[in-house]
Amino acid sequence: MKLTAAFVALAAVAGIGADAQSVCTTNAARKEIRSLTPAQWSTTANTLAAMQNYGWFQWFAYLHTANFNVIHNCEFFFPFHRRFLQDFESVGRTFNSGFALPYWDEVRDYANPAASAVLTAAYTGSNGQGSNKCVTNGLQGSWTMSYPSNHCLRRQYNNGNTINPLYSPEYIQSLLSRSTTMAQLRPAIEYSLHGAVHLALGGDMVQNYSPNDFAFWLHHANIDRLWFTWQMQNPNRNFWSAAGTDASGKAIGLNTAIPYYGDAIVNLMYPSRNGMCFSYDNYNTVTSKRSLSTR
């Protein structure tokens, strides 16, 4: 199926103007973090350090905190965070034009998340140490986070030095397969994998200012990838599924503006269009299935 043609045809039916059909000329290619070459990860880490030095981690932690109560537990969850990720990525591209936000496919590590290479000195650092639970290695091991006040980046795994198992790939795929609307998918994902990873890492990740931790960005890029995977499973239906309610219970739909940014939800539905200039290296499957040896 040619998605471009399908998108334009469906847009005409939905009455969306031609100005909303702008196609990105270049897209940030989002990859699973472990698939980056050492040179690519080094460049990414340098870009993130520059963003930290210029106060951008502080800004995004503040922004998430200020809007927390209106972007969770409602159908703004997916579109707001897609826009939030794109905003962060766009800032990164002002420091490095080739910057693309990686994602962490946590489901690959569901049985023993603490053993993931992502949670080591090679990438995001591991569990917090000492009475303050400070992360002392990895990307942010020497950083001072300045929102809401100066502190080390904190993590506190939910089972001592280990992390309780997450959700299996089969379970997450079942959520995608049985959800026929965004209003069904949103709570299924938000209250399972999304919440589980925040609780698993603890520390800053269980605060409203969780964007302090780069693991937040890796995690939410994966949540967005799963939403896109679901959209692609039935594009004629799922790219136009936005009906639901906001945090106050008021009905929202494709033409509703998201909090803070003011973008209509319809303009956030399709990666590679309308300023959502990014793509994913894998959106066809949730992750590799388990082998019998890892059951």
Side-chain angles (χ1 to χ4, degrees), residues 130-149:
S131 59
N132 289 330
K133 302 302 178 182
C134 296
V135 175
T136 59
N137 60 2
L139 172 69
Q140 296 176 275
S142 62
W143 291 14
T144 297
M145 311 313 298
S146 56
Y147 187 84
S149 59

Side-chain angles (χ1 to χ4, degrees), residues 30-41 44 101-120 122-124 166 214 218 222 225 281 286-288:
R30 296 180 181 174
K31 301 178 181 179
E32 215 282 338
I33 188 170
R34 287 165 287 195
S35 73
L36 300 179
T37 67
Q40 287 172 331
W41 170 240
T44 298
L101 187 60
Y103 65 89
W104 174 23
D105 185 3
E106 305 105 340
V107 177
R108 281 176 51 180
D109 305 310
Y110 86 97
N112 187 7
S116 172
V118 178
L119 299 177
T120 66
Y123 294 106
T124 71
L166 301 173
F214 185 59
L218 296 173
N222 191 49
R225 183 183 69 92
D281 63 347
V286 172
T287 193
S288 299

Side-chain angles (χ1 to χ4, degrees), residues 49-208:
M51 291 174 68
Q52 163 69 0
N53 291 339
Y54 277 83
W56 284 108
F57 274 80
Q58 176 186 10
W59 166 249
F60 284 106
Y62 159 76
L63 188 58
H64 191 261
T65 300
N67 292 279
F68 189 87
N69 291 332
V70 295
I71 60 174
H72 298 92
N73 308 308
C74 68
E75 271 56 71
F76 283 134
F77 175 76
F78 280 130
F80 176 89
H81 284 92
R82 176 168 285 176
R83 182 65 174 86
F84 195 53
L85 293 167
Q86 184 271 338
D87 194 10
F88 182 89
E89 191 168 60
S90 293
V91 171
R93 290 170 80 84
T94 67
F95 294 92
N96 165 20
S97 61
F99 177 72
L101 187 60
Y103 65 89
W104 174 23
D105 185 3
E106 305 105 340
V107 177
R108 281 176 51 180
D109 305 310
Y110 86 97
N112 187 7
S116 172
V118 178
L119 299 177
T120 66
Y123 294 106
T124 71
S126 50
N127 200 12
Q129 304 297 312
S131 59
N132 289 330
K133 302 302 178 182
C134 296
V135 175
T136 59
N137 60 2
L139 172 69
Q140 296 176 275
S142 62
W143 291 14
T144 297
M145 311 313 298
S146 56
Y147 187 84
S149 59
N150 286 353
H151 66 283
C152 64
L153 178 69
R154 301 188 185 103
R155 286 204 195 123
Q156 187 172 4
Y157 291 173
N158 65 4
N159 191 14
N161 285 321
T162 63
I163 294 174
N164 294 327
L166 301 173
Y167 293 87
S168 72
E170 292 85 353
Y171 180 78
I172 297 302
Q173 182 58 59
S174 75
L175 298 182
L176 304 189
S177 297
R178 67 177 184 247
S179 297
T180 59
T181 66
M182 190 176 78
Q184 291 178 339
L185 180 69
R186 190 273 307 166
I189 294 295
E190 184 179 6
Y191 303 146
S192 64
L193 184 64
H194 165 257
V197 172
H198 278 276
L199 293 172
L201 297 186
D204 280 29
M205 277 287 278
V206 293
Q207 305 299 326
N208 292 359

Side-chain angles (χ1 to χ4, degrees), residues 215-249:
F216 169 96
W217 300 98
L218 296 173
H219 174 44
H220 272 273
N222 191 49
I223 295 297
D224 186 73
R225 183 183 69 92
L226 292 175
W227 180 29
F228 186 50
T229 298
W230 175 78
Q231 290 179 305
M232 292 291 285
Q233 288 181 356
N234 190 334
N236 285 353
R237 179 191 69 198
N238 295 348
F239 276 111
W240 307 102
S241 178
T245 60
D246 65 15
S248 70

